[in-house]
C-alpha cells in the first residue's frame, strides 16, 4: 500500500455536484423512515397480524412492504425471493421518487433479459421486519398512537425470516425457485434454507458469513454506541417534532464508520489518493480531503433515507446471526440444506471475509460448484452490489441449474 505523498496528491479534485451540495445543506426531518401517508410508490403491503418474537416479545399488528416484477406462472413454480442487505429495501428496480428514496439497488441484475430475468421469473423483494421502508419497524405507529420507538422489540434474523415465511404463506407461494440474498440478506437466505428446506429449491448466498463473529460484533457495537450517544437520540424517543432534529450526527457518523467496512483500502487509496475536495488545503483548518468529503456525503445522505431506531434494530438482528444456534453448530445446520446452492464472496471484503463463505460452501451438500466462488474486486464488501456483470453471471448459472 502506497501512502506516500506525490505531487499529484495536491491537485484539487472536482467539487461534488450542486445537487449534492444542496442535499447536504437541506435540513433532514427527524427520521428518514417512510411513514404512513407518504407516497407508496411501487410498494404493496401484506398484513401479518400478531407477531411473537423469539425473545418472547409481541407486536400486535405487523406488516411487510414488498415489490414484485414479472408474473407468477400457473404452476406457481417460478417465484424468486430477493433479500436485501442491512440498509436496503424492497426497491430492487426502479427510479428514485414517488416514495422511494433511492433508485433500485440491483437494477442491472434483476429485470427483463437480466441475470434474474423477470420475463421468466416472478421476483419478490420484501423490506425486512424492523426496517424503515414500509415494513413494521420502530418508526411505525403502535396501538396507542405513538411510534414504537424504544419500545420496539428486539428481533433476530430468525424472527425476520419467520415474517417472510408468513408473507410467502399469505401470497400462496409454497416453494421458491430460488432464495437469493447478499450480506444480511444472505443471512436471511441461509435461515430460509434451514428453517424451510422443502420450500427452497435454489439458494444464492452472497458475501455473508455463517455466524456474526466477534470482530463483526465489535464493528457493530461502536456504531450503535455512536447513534445512542447523540443527544438528539433522546433514548430513542426523537420522533416528536417538538424535540427538533433527530440523531443525525450519530447516525451519519455510524454510516461513515460502516462505509469503511463496505469498501476496501485499495479502492479508497486509488480513488481518492490524498486529493483535496476543493481549492482549500486540508493541511490546516477549513479544507477537506476528498475521502473525508465522500464519507461525509454518504453519512449525511443516509440520514435522509434511514431511521436511527431502525438502524439499531437491524444491526442487533445481524448481531444475532448464528445458523448453528440450538442446532448443534454451524456445520450441522449447513448439512440440513437441500437446495442447489451458490456461495459467492469478494476477495477484498473486510467486513465478511471470504473464509466465512468458504466455510459455508464446504458443508452444503448441494453446492453447484466445487467451492465458494471468490470474485476479485477492489470494491470490498459492496462488490456484491457493484460487480453486477460477474455476480449476474453466477446467479444465471444458479437459476439454470
Ligand atoms: C441490498 C443493499 O445492500 S441495498 C443498500 C445499497 N445501498 C447503499 O448502500 C446506499 C449507499 N450507496 C452506496 O453505498 C453505493 O452507491 C453503492 C454501493 C450502492 C454503489 O456504489 P458506487 O456506485 O461505487 O457509488 P459510490 O460509493 O461511489 O457513491 C457515489 C456517490 O458518492 C458521491 N461522491 C463521490 N465522491 C465524492 C466526494 N469526494 N465527496 C462527496 N461525495 C462524493 C457521488 O456524488 C455519488 O453521489 P450519489 O449517490 O448521489 O450518486
Ligand atoms: N451497502 C450495504 C452494505 C451492507 O451489506 C448496505 O448499506 O446495506
Amino acid at each position: 500500500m502506497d501512502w506516500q505523498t506525490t505531487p499529484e496528491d495536491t491537485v484539487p479534485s472536482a467539487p461534488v455536484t450542486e445537487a449534492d451540495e444542496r442535499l447536504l445543506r437541506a435540513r433532514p426531518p427527524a427520521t428518514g423512515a417512510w411513514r404512513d401517508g407518504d407516497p407508496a410508490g411501487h410498494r404493496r403491503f401484506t398484513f401479518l397480524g400478531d407477531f411473537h418474537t423469539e425473545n418472547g416479545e409481541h407486536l400486535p399488528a405487523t406488516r411487510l412492504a414488498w415489490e414484485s416484477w414479472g408474473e407468477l406462472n400457473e404452476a406457481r413454480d417460478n417465484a424468486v425471493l430477493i433479500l436485501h442487505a442491512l440498509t436496503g429495501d424492497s426497491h430492487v428496480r426502479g427510479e428514485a421518487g414517488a416514495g422511494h428514496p433511492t433508485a433500485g439497488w440491483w437494477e442491472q441484475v434483476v429485470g427483463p433479459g437480466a441475470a434474474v430475468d423477470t420475463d421468466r421469473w416472478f421476483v419478490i423483494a420484501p423490506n425486512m421486519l424492523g426496517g424503515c421502508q414500509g415494513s413494521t419497524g420502530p418508526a411505525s405507529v403502535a396501538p396507542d398512537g405513538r411510534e414504537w420507538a424504544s419500545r420496539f422489540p428486539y428481533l433476530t434474523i430468525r424472527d425476520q425470516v419467520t415474517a417472510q415465511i408468513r408473507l410467502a404463506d399469505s401470497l400462496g407461494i409454497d416453494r421458491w425457485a430460488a432464495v437469493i440474498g447478499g450480506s444480511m440478506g444472505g443471512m436471511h437466505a441461509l435461515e430460509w434454507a434451514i428453517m424451510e428446506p422443502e420450500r427452497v429449491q435454489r439458494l444464492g448466498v452472497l458475501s455473508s458469513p455463517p455466524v456474526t463473529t466477534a470482530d463483526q460484533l465489535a464493528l457493530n457495537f461502536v456504531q450503535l454506541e455512536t447513534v445512542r450517544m447523540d443527544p438528539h437520540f433522546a433514548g430513542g424517543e426523537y420522533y416528536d417534532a417538538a424535540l427538533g432534529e433527530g440523531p443525525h450526527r450519530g447516525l451519519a457518523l455510524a454510516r461513515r464508520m460502516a462505509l469503511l467496512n463496505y469498501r476496501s483500502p485499495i479502492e479508497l487509496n486509488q480513488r481518492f489518493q490524498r486529493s483535496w475536495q476543493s481549492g482549500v488545503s486540508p493541511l490546516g483548518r477549513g479544507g477537506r480531503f476528498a475521502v473525508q468529503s465522500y464519507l461525509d456525503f454518504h453519512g449525511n445522505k443516509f440520514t435522509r433515507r434511514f431511521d436511527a431506531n431502525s438502524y439499531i434494530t437491524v444491526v442487533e438482528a445481524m448481531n444475532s446471526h448464528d445458523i448453528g444456534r440450538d442446532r448443534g453448530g454451524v456445520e450441522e445446520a449447513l448439512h440440513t440444506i437441500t437446495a442447489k446452492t451458490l456461495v459467492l464472496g469478494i476477495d477484498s471484503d473486510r467486513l465478511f471475509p471470504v473464509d466465512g463463505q468458504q466455510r459455508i460452501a464446504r458443508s452444503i451438500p448441494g453446492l453447484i460448484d466445487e467451492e465458494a466462488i471468490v470474485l476479485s474486486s477492489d470494491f470490498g464488501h459492496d462488490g456484491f452490489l457493484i460487480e453486477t456483470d460477474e455476480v449476474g453471471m453466477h446467479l444465471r448459472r444458479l437459476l439454470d441449474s
Side-chain angles (χ1 to χ4, degrees):
M1 213 172 295
D2 181 11
W3 290 100
Q4 276 187 329
T5 306
T6 64
E8 301 88 85
D9 290 339
T10 54
V11 176
S13 66
V16 284
T17 64
E18 274 182 39
D20 291 343
E21 292 290 0
R22 271 202 305 278
L23 181 72
L24 293 183
R25 277 198 302 271
R27 188 167 174 273
T31 171
W34 184 90
R35 312 293 289 270
D36 281 336
D38 289 349
H42 297 282
R43 286 179 191 82
R44 297 169 76 177
F45 301 93
T46 293
F47 292 84
L48 307 175
D50 252 3
F51 191 92
H52 294 272
T53 68
E54 273 200 274
N55 212 28
E57 293 174 87
H58 176 230
L59 283 167
T62 312
R63 76 173 181 210
L64 289 190
W66 52 278
E67 289 176 64
S68 69
W69 299 267
E71 298 289 332
L72 186 61
N73 62 17
E74 263 184 45
R76 305 177 88 79
D77 64 0
N78 70 330
V80 171
L81 181 65
I82 301 233
L83 301 169
H84 66 76
L86 183 73
T87 72
D89 54 38
S90 64
H91 207 45
V92 172
R93 285 185 56 75
E95 304 282 303
H100 298 292
T102 47
W105 53 266
W106 240 6
E107 192 85 43
Q108 290 82 9
V109 174
V110 178
V116 184
D117 186 352
T118 50
D119 292 334
R120 177 180 174 198
W121 304 107
F122 173 59
V123 174
I124 292 193
N127 180 214
M128 70 175 81
L129 184 65
C132 61
Q133 285 301 320
S135 294
T136 302
S140 303
V141 174
D144 64 1
R146 292 189 300 117
E147 290 86 355
W148 283 100
S150 60
R151 301 172 295 163
F152 195 74
Y154 172 86
L155 296 180
T156 64
I157 293 286
R158 294 182 196 178
D159 287 324
Q160 293 174 318
V161 172
T162 299
Q164 293 164 5
I165 291 169
R166 284 167 59 176
L167 171 67
D169 293 344
S170 106
L171 297 177
I173 294 169
D174 296 333
R175 191 176 195 218
W176 297 103
V179 176
I180 296 168
S183 191
M184 187 169 174
M187 300 177 184
H188 293 130
L190 278 168
E191 282 293 345
W192 256 101
I194 295 165
M195 289 163 71
E196 299 283 311
E198 70 291 350
R199 295 180 78 170
V200 182
Q201 191 181 353
R202 299 179 188 83
L203 169 68
V205 180
L206 315 179
S207 305
S208 310
V211 44
T212 301
T213 64
D215 177 52
Q216 293 144 11
L217 292 170
L219 295 167
N220 286 340
F221 286 141
V222 289
Q223 289 175 41
L224 295 194
E225 196 53 22
T226 302
V227 175
R228 291 185 173 121
M229 280 177 68
D230 185 325
H232 291 288
F233 181 64
E237 306 298 324
Y238 53 82
Y239 297 106
D240 188 342
L243 288 177
E245 74 173 71
H248 303 133
R249 281 172 184 274
L251 186 61
L253 183 52
R255 183 64 173 180
R256 290 184 186 95
M257 294 159 87
L259 201 61
L260 295 179
N261 307 324
Y262 300 159
R263 312 306 278 243
S264 81
I266 305 163
E267 185 213 354
L268 295 182
N269 290 340
Q270 282 176 357
R271 180 172 174 180
F272 298 105
Q273 302 192 20
R274 291 178 50 81
S275 62
W276 307 356
Q277 186 56 32
S278 67
V280 183
S281 168
L283 304 180
R285 301 222 165 81
R288 281 188 303 172
F289 286 107
V291 69
Q292 180 188 350
S293 166
Y294 173 73
L295 293 181
D296 290 348
F297 172 81
H298 276 295
N300 288 322
K301 188 174 177 184
F302 188 57
T303 64
R304 287 162 175 83
R305 72 173 181 88
F306 221 85
D307 174 54
N309 280 321
S310 208
Y311 192 67
I312 292 171
T313 299
V314 297
V315 170
E316 284 180 337
M318 188 158 77
N319 287 348
S320 77
H321 176 58
D322 176 2
I323 57 169
R325 174 168 58 89
D326 300 331
R327 292 174 179 145
V330 165
E331 277 66 30
E332 283 299 310
L334 290 168
H335 285 313
T336 65
I337 294 178
T338 54
K340 295 177 194 171
T341 303
L342 167 78
V343 181
L344 182 149
I346 309 284
D347 60 356
S348 57
D349 188 337
R350 54 180 165 179
L351 179 63
F352 297 139
V354 292
D355 59 354
Q357 290 94 66
Q358 285 159 340
R359 184 175 178 196
I360 295 170
R362 271 197 298 275
S363 294
I364 292 191
L367 203 71
I368 61 167
D369 302 292
E370 288 190 353
E371 53 190 14
I373 301 291
V374 177
L375 298 189
S376 177
S377 165
D378 289 346
F379 288 115
H381 180 67
D382 270 347
F384 81 93
L385 295 165
I386 298 170
E387 302 286 5
T388 49
D389 286 350
E390 282 208 78
V391 168
M393 188 261 284
H394 290 291
L395 288 178
R396 208 184 275 274
R397 279 196 312 112
L398 173 68
L399 292 171
D400 286 339
S401 66

